[in-house]
Amino acid sequence: MSAPWKQRLTRSLHLSRSKPEAKYFQLATVGLDGMPDNRTVVFRGFSDESDGLLVVTDTRSEKFTQLQRNPAACVVWYFTKSREQYRFKGNTAILIDAQTDTTNVVDTHNEVITKTALTPFWSSLSAGTRSQFYWPHPGREVTEDEPSNADIDVLSPYFSVLRIVPTEVQFLDLKASPQQRESYTWQEANWHVKQINP
Ligand SMILES: Cc1cc2nc3c(=O)[nH]c(=O)nc-3n(C[C@H](O)[C@H](O)[C@H](O)COP(=O)(O)O)c2cc1C
């Protein structure tokens, strides 16, 4: 059976299905300097293996390096239409291609998987999103003449999928009066749900 928060989140996504921006959430990681770091990403679905949130990212990005060092992550996700907020706390597994792994993954949370397993993700992305994985190194200063050699049918060596697996979820419904707040905690292989004061 799927996690109770997942059923709720699936409903929120359904209510906002006409709004593409409802798939954006903020992903916070721990910077190499120990400071929090935060950015917007796109929700790419739930993982089949566990109740995780999937995100695609570039292995050259800061967040990738940060997650290799420390898999801890927080997500905050607000649905403007239904006026609901979700907060997630957990760990992130990094899925990268076994062949193109040049990043020396050592953390046990990270998973080097086969190209065959990663290819369906790649193929499901729009041409525009795939071409971003052939852009010059993210975060570096722009230089004049970087060649852009994009064959978007070929899986980029910089492509990775993040699987954010929460152990704590909080839900807040601003519409309800009084506001409804719930906490879901993963303990002893079960989700424990509590209503808490808003
Ligand atoms: C609406 C929106 C959606 C985005 N989606 C993603 C995404 O799915 N994956 C990603 O890596 N970056 C995405 N970005 C870019 C990130 O916010 C960020 O600028 C980039 O990944 C570099 O972050 P980092 O240096 O902290 O790794 C998105 C930005 C915006 C504004």
Side-chain angles (χ1 to χ4, degrees), residues 6 15 20-21 51 71 79 90 97 138 161 177 197:
K6 188 175 167 187
L15 290 174
E21 66 275 17
D51 289 315
F79 291 87
D97 169 20
V161 177
S177 177
N197 291 325

Side-chain angles (χ1 to χ4, degrees), residues 15-50:
L15 290 174
S16 292
R17 63 193 178 284
S18 63
K19 297 189 166 292
E21 66 275 17
K23 295 219 167 142
Y24 303 153
F25 61 68
Q26 276 66 53
L27 169 67
T29 48
V30 182
L32 301 186
D33 56 0
M35 293 292 285
D37 210 350
N38 201 7
R39 78 286 288 159
T40 307
V41 291
V42 181
F43 171 66
R44 301 281 176 188
F46 294 104
S47 66
D48 295 334
E49 300 83 359
S50 54

Side-chain angles (χ1 to χ4, degrees), residues 84-150:
E84 297 164 310
Q85 174 183 259
Y86 292 82
R87 294 163 70 192
F88 298 84
K89 207 180 266 191
N91 282 318
T92 303
I94 300 172
L95 315 186
I96 47 172
D97 169 20
Q99 264 86 69
T100 57
D101 172 29
T102 52
T103 52
N104 191 20
V105 174
V106 285
D107 196 298
T108 50
H109 293 280
N110 301 332
E111 201 176 316
V112 180
I113 60 173
T114 61
K115 203 171 220 160
T116 342
L118 216 50
T119 301
F121 280 107
W122 177 256
S123 310
S124 70
L125 300 174
S126 69
T129 302
R130 276 181 276 158
S131 70
Q132 292 177 17
F133 289 88
Y134 284 98
W135 287 356
H137 197 297
R140 290 202 184 148
E141 194 172 350
V142 174
T143 54
E144 290 293 322
D145 49 359
E146 293 223 33
S148 171
N149 187 14

Side-chain angles (χ1 to χ4, degrees), residues 24 37-42 44 55-58 61-64 66:
Y24 303 153
D37 210 350
N38 201 7
R39 78 286 288 159
T40 307
V41 291
V42 181
R44 301 281 176 188
V55 169
V56 300
T57 201
D58 194 305
S61 68
E62 292 275 315
K63 76 182 88 46
F64 185 87
Q66 293 166 352

Side-chain angles (χ1 to χ4, degrees), residues 1-7 50-52 87-90 164-170 183-194:
M1 207 182 81
S2 74
W5 58 262
K6 188 175 167 187
Q7 295 165 17
S50 54
D51 289 315
R87 294 163 70 192
F88 298 84
K89 207 180 266 191
I164 304 154
V165 182
T167 48
E168 275 179 57
V169 182
Q170 279 201 16
S183 108
Y184 305 78
T185 314
W186 179 252
Q187 265 169 356
E188 290 156 13
N190 267 310
W191 284 103
H192 299 265
V193 188
K194 262 193 310 202

